[in-house]
Amino acid sequence: MVRVVSLRIAVVDQNRCDACGLCVPLCPPSAITLHQTGLHIDAPVCTGCQKCIAPCPVFALSMIDRV
C-alpha cells in the first residue's frame, strides 16, 4: 500500500484548543492524540490530509510546511 504524504503537516495552537477531541477520529493515520496536557500531533505520522482542519470549532488547527 502506498502512503501519500503532503509537504505540509497539521499543527495545533494549544492556546486555542479546547480539547474537544473532534479531530482525533477524523485523522486517517491516527497522528492526533488527546492527552491531559492537550492535543498532540505526531508530525512524522501526519500525512497532511487536512481532514482535521475544518471541523475544529475553535480554529486551533492549521497547516505548516513540513521541515
Side-chain angles (χ1 to χ4, degrees):
M1 183 170 152
V2 175
R3 181 173 170 226
V4 177
V5 178
S6 170
L7 295 177
R8 297 173 59 80
I9 58 170
V11 292
V12 61
D13 181 341
Q14 296 293 352
N15 294 320
R16 286 181 172 242
C17 182
D18 62 2
C20 70
L22 288 174
C23 57
V24 176
L26 300 176
C27 183
S30 299
I32 304 173
T33 51
L34 188 57
H35 302 275
Q36 286 182 328
T37 56
L39 199 69
H40 174 75
I41 299 175
D42 189 351
V45 176
C46 178
T47 60
C49 71
Q50 301 185 35
K51 291 182 180 182
C52 60
I53 304 296
C56 181
V58 294
F59 309 102
L61 295 163
S62 60
M63 300 297 288
I64 62 166
D65 290 336
R66 187 181 295 270
V67 272

